[in-house]
Amino acid sequence: GQNIDQPTEMTATEGAIVQINCTYQTSGFNGLFWYQQHAGEAPTFLSYNVLDGLEEKGRFSSFLSRSKGYSYLLLKELQMKDSASYLCAVRDRGGATNKLIFGTGTLLAVQP
Amino acid sequence: GAVVSQHPSRVICKSGTSVKIECRSLDFQATTMFWYRQFPKQSLMLMATSNEGSKATYEQGVEKDKFLINHASLTLSTLTVTSAHPEDSSFYICSARDSGSPPGELFFGEGSRLTVL
């Protein structure tokens, strides 16, 4: 079966660093994605990991450990506009379409 | 990045009527598009995979006769919610993959919020 878990909610302070964890158990694996979604809007792409290790992109970094079925998204120098839901998604290798399966999402609230 | 456009962004309809939502890839061709549904404060649930020129592939538990998907061209997929009921009220989002973008990156439409009265 497919199972992707994230904390439901997190709170952090402006200027700080926050780490959002994601654990997954899927029938196949062909990459892990992080998306940001503001309320009422479509998700926007943040990062992609297919090999173990850390991928850095500006204030955002994403880490993957395939053997542990684990990833995290690290946000540095938090800004108020970073308040949003962060969605972890796994690309399922099964079938020809490589569909994305999304986790439950983590609602991050950044406080002054 | 690639652009995916959805229309309408908001629709209100009466119970029992049908609603069609369009998803277009504006600057690339998409042989595959994905339709997701999102209830308030929940994550995206994949409903079906839309394949150009062939039948859609539906996820377990999604009624294919209720949610009709047509992917007649490489730039357009449509989702029709037939005989809509209040429990179908949700945020419907389509996405597509551009073969020229980083592997697997999906581009999402703006979403369509359906309210069934």
Side-chain angles (χ1 to χ4, degrees):
Chain A
Q2 317 278 35
N3 195 34
I4 302 174
D5 287 323
Q6 304 175 233
T8 305
E9 296 181 353
M10 298 184 70
T11 303
T13 304
E14 191 175 16
I17 299 173
V18 70
Q19 177 174 311
I20 303 174
N21 297 323
C22 171
T23 58
Y24 64 89
Q25 289 178 309
T26 55
S27 56
F29 180 84
N30 196 19
L32 186 142
F33 300 77
W34 284 94
Y35 283 82
Q36 180 191 61
Q37 185 181 26
H38 287 98
E41 299 180 9
T44 54
F45 171 79
L46 288 179
S47 69
Y48 165 70
N49 295 70
V50 67
L51 299 176
D52 291 351
L54 188 69
E55 292 285 339
E56 297 187 78
K57 187 186 289 187
R59 295 191 298 116
F60 297 82
S61 302
S62 57
F63 172 83
L64 174 67
S65 169
R66 289 171 296 171
S67 62
K68 296 181 179 178
Y70 168 70
S71 173
Y72 68 71
L73 178 70
L74 194 70
L75 292 77
K76 305 176 184 177
E77 303 171 15
L78 280 173
Q79 301 175 9
M80 298 298 291
K81 67 178 182 179
D82 296 329
S83 294
S85 284
Y86 290 86
L87 308 175
C88 170
V90 172
R91 186 165 62 167
D92 183 350
R93 181 183 286 275
T97 55
N98 286 177
K99 59 191 179 186
L100 275 189
I101 306 298
F102 281 84
T104 50
T106 299
L107 182 61
L108 174 66
V110 180
Q111 299 178 339
Chain B
V3 178
V4 175
S5 178
Q6 257 183 265
H7 178 80
S9 58
R10 292 180 181 272
V11 57
I12 300 173
C13 70
K14 294 181 179 180
S15 184
T17 60
S18 294
V19 174
K20 179 185 285 187
I21 301 170
E22 293 185 347
C23 178
R24 294 181 184 274
S25 56
L26 297 186
D27 50 2
F28 67 101
Q29 294 183 331
T31 56
T32 304
M33 292 184 175
F34 302 90
W35 286 96
Y36 290 85
R37 178 169 54 183
Q38 187 176 35
F39 292 107
K41 297 186 178 180
Q42 295 186 22
S43 191
L44 282 75
M45 297 294 294
L46 180 65
M47 298 175 66
T49 302
S50 174
N51 305 300
E52 189 270 333
S54 64
K55 293 182 179 179
T57 305
Y58 290 83
E59 294 299 300
Q60 192 173 8
V62 178
E63 299 174 59
K64 61 180 181 181
D65 294 330
K66 180 170 183 61
F67 299 99
L68 301 178
I69 292 174
N70 183 279
H71 195 154
S73 77
L74 287 171
T75 59
L76 174 64
S77 175
T78 61
L79 168 69
T80 301
V81 183
T82 63
S83 187
H85 289 93
E87 57 265 29
D88 298 324
S89 298
S90 186
F91 193 49
Y92 293 87
I93 308 177
C94 72
S95 67
R97 182 185 302 125
D98 179 6
S99 60
S101 295
E105 180 177 348
L106 281 184
F107 296 94
F108 285 85
E110 309 94 327
S112 300
R113 185 164 300 283
L114 171 64
T115 303
V116 184
L117 302 177

